[in-house]
Amino acid sequence: MQIELRNIHKHFGPVRANDGISLRVQSGTIHGLLGENGAGKSTLMKILSGYLSLDSGQILVKGRPVSIQSPAQGIRHGIGMLHQDPLDFPAMRVLDNFLLGRGSRLRQHRARAKTELLQLADRFGFPMDPEEMLSTLSIGERQQLEILRLISLGAETLILDEPTTGISTPQKVQLFATLHRLAAEGRSVIFVSHKLEDAEELCHRVTVLRHGRVSGEIEAPFQSAQLVRLMFGQDLPPSERATIPTGQPVLQLDHVTLPGPRFSIPNISMTIRAGEVIGLAGIEGSGQRLFLHACVGLVRPSSGQILLDGQDMVGQSYHHLLKSGMAFLPANRLEEGLVEGLTLAEHCILTDRENMPFFVRWSEAREKARQKISEYNIQGTPDSPIESLSGGNQQRALLSLLPSHLRLLALEHPTRGLDVESARWVWDMLQQRRRQGTAIVFTSADLDEIRERSERIYVFSGGNLSGPVDATETSTTELGMMIGGKAYEIA
Amino acid sequence: MNNELLRTLATVVAVSAPLVYAGIGETLTEKAGVINLSLDGSILLSAMGAFATAYLTGSLFWGFVVAALIGAAVAALIAFASISLRQDQVAVGFVLTLLCADLSSFLGNPFVHKPGPAIPNMPIPILKDLPIVGPILFSQDLVVYGSFLLILLSWLWTFKTQPGLRLQGIGERPEAAFARGTNVNRLRFFYTVLGGALVGIAGAAYSLDIKLGWSHNHTAGNGWIALAIVIFGGWHPLRVAFGAYLFGGLKALGSVMQRVAPGVPTQIFQAAPFALMIVALLLVSGNVLDRLLAYLPRRTRQRVTSLVRSSPPAALGKPFVEE
Ligand SMILES: Nc1ncnc2c1ncn2[C@@H]1O[C@H](COP(=O)(O)OP(=O)(O)O)[C@@H](O)[C@H]1O
Ligand SMILES: [Mg+2]
């Protein structure tokens, strides 16, 4: 089904998410929509599927202008979207998820829907148990269900927003095969991604977005250099690996077993030295978070010993550990790291552990906040509520609030949701910390980030820990394979 | 079975009927993701309105209609404040609780302790002669039969129909329901008002049937119990109904015990049902149950878990903003 977008504009407050985008997708093709985080891809696709309304512009389906005001209208025009964060119902059954939103008849026709779901699943080779609770499925399986659901609703244009994040390598292979098949059946597929290699491998044609505009459109075969130039404006500088000498052991884990809710991670032994960076790779929920929590004393191991600077830290209070130079930066910045509703100045007061007068010294706090703003280049004022800052600035604020001397810094997805410049800035800050002898442990969903930024890499896969892998000698593919369950011990 | 036991059980079924109406009404509202906290007040106000209407017009029917309208109107206020103005549901609900209670005292003053009409008993032919269930279930009145029907219908609606799936969806994950073509806020409005109407009927069921007449704070406390029963019932219509009957049964047991053991202070028997409800709540939601369930085979476990487990609708109390 041919789709055309003409001069689409959409802004959120001052942010021009889509600034005059035009795009044409031919039927029977896989069309890539490439761009770095924040380029406006999701916004454009939400507009096309009816999830968001547009400010101005025109949508044409099969050459005829249409108005798509709601997802229901989108599907009526044959446009179905798989959202970046799967929009489904974990607390309900697979079949309920499949049924929900199919017309407004009174009866459910469960038996009929079940047969249809199983037939479809069979056709695409997806394993599917209709009575299973959705929460027990992996992200990849939930994606598969969504694809089947959209197809059964008659979607002729299928939009997939960043579908390869968080799924295993075999699931990705299967996904790509499915998309090829859908295209061969005459449907159009719009594949949204910020990953070059995915787009190169899969797409017939790629449109690149940058800062809310189309920066170029290319036909396969693609040249990576050209795509990179369109995405980022210039070639990515080869990442220079800072050589920072490692020092004394900071954290030592000795045959530690960590108890988790779904699985426990047995027998971890490792040593983290001052100035060293350890990357933790794995699909979300494979145990990295548990491990990070254990490193900073938020989770108590069920057996084994964790030494911080040679001292047993098991059983110490979190407060004590913070005092001895630990810090943890969670991924949910607003939920666990910062206090929504408080300003930057108030955060300065909260986190100042050395100097705690009974009455708050407001002018001092504001002055301190102003210092941090200029030192850490935060876009905001001492009195702006923390949630009004953008993601990058919230991360800057969090970093600015860390105590000046740290032994160990544990970070969860330190650059998630940040634009390239902010992400680079965050790592510059972290490099400075390393030079002062701070050891860094971090998780990331971005394998390139892990490969570039860490020295040793550990891979989590369903509660199994493998590694360490030398970051300079591994490849993204190898890590991907390990994450996908093909873990092997590397001496 | 002896006659007295049958009669007690029949009474339990009858006195629990208003709690069934209110509990299921609130369940529907909360399933949609909205909390109507005003139950205690709106039951009072609608009980008063029902009695006053029936007293003045002599019509029981109009009494129930007015009560339903009052309940619906209070709920509509909550829906408007929380959905349209995006105010805090708990705060608005709480203020309305107090407001409605005071209003019922003020407006109901002329009707205090007046004799009024009552719903007549209406045993169902043939069914009433069945052993055991006949006297317990089928020698009641229309209001009680209505509560049976409501239990059945609300369960069927929520779990067996297509609109019921949408209802679950908007309370679980409104963004996802929206992506599937649901007008989330309109539906939430609808279920809040519908639930409110049922709460209103609960009020009428008190003043025109179960606790006849009107006095200041006539039904006070029952709204809070209904709210607790919804949690106890894990937002599942059948379990909520079970909770209502359990509570009614515990209260009846209290008055029996009072006769059996006259030496014990009466307050103990009056308070016992609440304490027992808390214990039951702990059993349902605690680890004890998890351990027991772990012995079941996987498939059965999923089923049993979904039947006995209480987890609130994931988006309960959270407003939904269309982008
Ligand atoms: N609901 C929203 N409210 C405010 N800003 C938004 C919203 N959605 C997206 N944005 C902003 O619009 C820009 C484009 O976002 P998005 O379309 O999600 O980018 P992409 O999918 O390419 O990463 C970003 O700067 C983002 O912060
Ligand atoms: Mg996106």
Side-chain angles (χ1 to χ4, degrees):
Chain A
M1 191 171 69
Q2 198 200 54
I3 301 274
E4 193 179 344
L5 295 165
R6 278 193 196 152
N7 206 17
I8 304 286
H9 285 263
K10 173 78 185 178
H11 66 86
F12 299 102
V15 179
R16 293 189 181 183
N18 287 176
D19 195 10
I21 298 184
S22 298
L23 178 72
R24 191 197 288 250
V25 179
Q26 301 296 350
S27 45
T29 63
I30 303 179
H31 195 111
L33 193 59
L34 207 59
E36 61 179 318
N37 281 330
K41 309 178 296 289
S42 297
T43 304
L44 186 69
M45 291 301 106
K46 284 180 185 170
I47 287 173
L48 177 57
S49 67
Y51 194 90
L52 275 178
S53 59
L54 42 71
D55 293 345
S56 67
Q58 212 176 23
I59 303 175
L60 289 88
V61 172
K62 291 176 190 153
R64 289 222 317 275
V66 295
S67 130
I68 302 179
Q69 308 274 3
S70 70
Q73 281 178 355
I75 214 56
R76 232 170 283 144
H77 285 111
I79 301 169
M81 174 160 174
L82 209 86
H83 288 257
Q84 194 164 351
D85 173 25
L87 282 182
D88 50 17
F89 306 91
M92 294 165 75
R93 284 168 204 289
V94 167
L95 185 58
D96 291 332
N97 269 277
F98 184 68
L99 272 166
L100 213 158
R102 309 186 122 224
S104 41
R105 287 168 283 108
L106 184 65
R107 285 192 51 194
Q108 287 182 356
H109 297 292
R110 283 185 93 79
R112 200 192 298 168
K114 196 171 186 166
T115 322
E116 189 185 339
L117 173 60
L118 286 174
Q119 271 169 3
L120 268 175
D122 197 41
R123 184 144 79 84
F124 288 95
F126 298 155
M128 202 63 69
D129 177 358
E131 298 301 332
E132 194 100 32
M133 294 305 276
L134 194 72
S135 52
T136 62
L137 269 57
S138 69
I139 294 283
E141 290 169 322
R142 283 161 66 175
Q143 237 174 36
Q144 294 173 347
L145 175 62
E146 276 292 283
I147 293 177
L148 298 184
R149 190 180 71 82
L150 292 171
I151 289 174
S152 88
L153 285 176
E156 288 186 57
T157 299
L158 210 62
I159 304 167
L160 296 99
D161 195 352
E162 310 268 6
T164 55
T165 326
I167 67 175
S168 68
T169 310
Q171 277 171 338
K172 182 170 138 180
V173 171
Q174 199 177 14
L175 174 72
F176 282 13
T178 306
L179 297 183
H180 275 303
R181 181 161 167 186
L182 290 174
E185 284 173 4
R187 290 179 226 261
S188 1
V189 174
I190 306 182
F191 180 86
V192 179
S193 183
H194 67 273
K195 294 184 190 158
L196 284 175
E197 67 270 22
D198 287 352
E200 284 174 9
E201 187 181 336
L202 184 72
C203 301
H204 300 123
R205 199 179 174 83
V206 160
T207 302
V208 186
L209 295 190
R210 185 167 140 76
H211 299 324
R213 293 162 174 272
V214 175
S215 61
E217 197 168 316
I218 329 181
E219 192 101 23
F222 310 104
Q223 283 170 313
S224 303
Q226 200 181 3
L227 286 176
V228 170
R229 213 157 30 240
L230 290 174
M231 272 174 81
F232 301 101
Q234 76 282 341
D235 278 319
L236 277 179
S239 61
E240 78 294 353
R241 209 166 254 284
T243 43
I244 292 166
T246 52
Q248 292 294 314
V250 172
L251 197 74
Q252 286 163 288
L253 288 87
D254 187 18
H255 295 96
V256 169
T257 297
L258 297 175
R262 288 195 289 132
F263 43 73
S264 58
I265 313 174
N267 206 17
I268 311 170
S269 294
M270 68 170 82
T271 303
I272 305 174
R273 293 173 179 278
E276 202 178 15
V277 184
I278 306 281
L280 308 176
I283 298 167
E284 200 107 325
S286 305
Q288 308 93 300
R289 187 179 168 85
L290 185 65
F291 179 80
L292 272 190
H293 277 175
C295 284
V296 294
L298 284 170
V299 165
R300 208 187 247 257
S302 53
S303 68
Q305 223 182 8
I306 304 183
L307 302 176
L308 173 65
D309 285 323
Q311 304 245 327
D312 191 352
M313 62 179 257
V314 174
Q316 301 278 14
S317 73
Y318 187 54
H319 183 75
H320 176 86
L321 291 171
L322 289 180
K323 268 207 185 140
S324 28
M326 294 260 195
F328 174 52
L329 246 55
N332 297 330
R333 293 187 270 269
L334 268 187
E335 279 156 39
E336 299 168 41
L338 298 162
V339 189
E340 214 171 325
L342 294 191
T343 65
L344 196 55
E346 284 163 329
H347 275 88
C348 289
I349 299 165
L350 272 180
T351 46
D352 189 348
R353 270 179 277 268
E354 283 118 57
N355 180 16
M356 293 172 98
F358 184 72
F359 288 105
V360 171
R361 302 207 184 101
W362 282 108
S363 56
E364 219 172 87
R366 256 191 217 108
E367 189 43 47
K368 206 182 280 169
R370 246 188 297 276
Q371 264 175 29
K372 294 196 191 268
I373 284 173
S374 69
E375 193 180 330
Y376 287 81
N377 200 7
I378 302 170
Q379 309 273 315
T381 68
D383 296 317
S384 31
I386 212 81
E387 68 272 17
S388 72
L389 303 182
S390 73
N393 285 308
Q394 284 173 9
Q395 189 69 307
R396 282 165 200 249
L398 264 175
L399 285 168
S400 79
L401 292 167
L402 290 175
S404 46
H405 293 290
L406 277 179
R407 298 294 292 144
L408 177 76
L409 178 55
L411 305 109
E412 205 180 11
H413 301 296
T415 61
R416 177 185 278 181
L418 303 196
D419 57 80
V420 168
E421 198 227 340
S422 298
R424 190 169 299 161
W425 183 89
V426 165
W427 277 109
D428 287 346
M429 288 313 290
L430 295 175
Q431 298 294 6
Q432 275 183 33
R433 292 270 180 188
R434 287 178 65 194
R435 287 199 186 88
Q436 296 163 4
T438 307
I440 290 173
V441 194
F442 78 103
T443 64
S444 172
D446 183 351
L447 289 181
D448 292 330
E449 180 177 39
I450 292 202
R451 225 159 35 83
E452 269 168 40
R453 301 299 182 177
S454 41
E455 277 147 349
R456 287 186 292 145
I457 301 170
Y458 286 89
V459 179
F460 289 78
S461 172
N464 285 315
L465 181 63
S466 45
V469 181
D470 185 336
T472 51
E473 285 174 4
T474 187
S475 64
T476 308
T477 331
E478 184 189 26
L479 290 176
M481 300 283 273
M482 291 175 74
I483 289 172
K486 300 188 179 165
Y488 45 91
E489 205 72 33
I490 294 168
Chain B
M1 252 193 251
N2 68 25
N3 273 343
E4 187 177 0
L5 182 59
L6 287 180
R7 230 174 299 131
T8 311
L9 287 177
T11 316
V12 167
V13 168
V15 299
S16 307
L19 286 180
V20 169
Y21 279 103
I24 287 189
E26 180 70 9
T27 301
L28 291 174
T29 303
E30 293 195 9
K31 268 254 173 261
V34 180
I35 306 170
N36 178 353
L37 198 73
S38 76
L39 257 55
D40 208 56
S42 41
I43 290 179
L44 264 175
L45 191 60
S46 48
M48 190 284 298
F51 183 78
T53 309
Y55 178 82
L56 295 174
T57 64
S59 158
L60 287 161
F61 173 75
W62 285 111
F64 272 85
V65 170
V66 166
L69 288 177
I70 291 175
V74 176
L77 273 179
I78 292 197
F80 179 69
S82 65
I83 296 170
S84 311
L85 305 179
R86 268 179 257 139
Q87 294 300 305
D88 186 73
Q89 300 175 1
V90 171
V92 174
F94 200 75
V95 168
L96 278 175
T97 310
L98 302 176
L99 194 74
C100 290
D102 286 346
L103 208 59
S104 76
S105 267
F106 171 66
L107 296 175
N109 212 19
F111 305 101
V112 171
H113 298 313
K114 291 268 161 58
I119 296 278
N121 237 43
M122 208 171 108
I124 301 178
I126 303 171
L127 289 180
K128 77 176 181 352
D129 299 320
L130 290 173
I132 306 177
V133 290
I136 300 178
L137 300 181
F138 300 117
S139 309
Q140 307 277 7
D141 57 41
L142 274 179
V143 172
V144 180
Y145 300 141
S147 71
F148 300 159
L149 206 62
L150 180 65
I151 297 169
L152 187 71
L153 284 181
S154 61
W155 173 71
L156 280 174
W157 182 262
T158 312
F159 294 109
K160 302 291 163 194
T161 70
Q162 192 66 23
L165 277 179
R166 274 183 204 269
L167 166 60
Q168 295 177 51
I170 56 175
E172 277 302 326
R173 206 140 172 234
E175 314 80 41
F178 174 67
R180 288 157 193 230
T182 308
N183 189 333
V184 174
N185 284 335
R186 198 167 66 193
L187 264 191
R188 283 187 162 182
F189 212 102
F190 170 76
Y191 281 108
T192 308
V193 171
L194 176 70
L198 290 170
V199 169
I201 290 176
Y206 277 117
S207 63
L208 299 179
D209 190 18
I210 304 303
K211 193 177 176 200
L212 285 175
W214 173 250
S215 58
H216 294 294
N217 294 328
H218 192 67
T219 65
N222 287 311
W224 298 116
I225 291 168
L227 281 165
I229 286 174
V230 174
I231 299 172
F232 171 85
W235 295 267
H236 188 297
L238 297 184
R239 284 179 55 198
V240 168
F242 172 72
Y245 291 127
L246 185 68
F247 186 80
L250 289 172
K251 277 191 93 161
L253 194 67
S255 37
V256 171
M257 291 302 289
Q258 215 164 307
R259 258 180 289 143
V260 177
V264 182
T266 57
Q267 284 84 350
I268 291 198
F269 295 119
Q270 279 160 12
F274 297 94
L276 285 173
M277 285 295 274
I278 292 175
V279 173
L281 204 58
L282 285 177
L283 281 179
V284 175
S285 54
N287 294 338
V288 188
L289 189 76
D290 278 350
R291 297 234 183 92
L292 289 177
L293 287 176
Y295 290 108
L296 295 174
R298 207 166 90 95
R299 255 302 174 58
T300 334
R301 184 166 64 220
Q302 268 193 6
R303 263 166 207 254
V304 178
T305 310
S306 70
L307 198 69
V308 293
R309 218 336 131 62
S310 348
S311 67
L316 180 59
K318 296 194 191 110
F320 171 70
V321 193
E322 255 176 57
E323 283 177 81

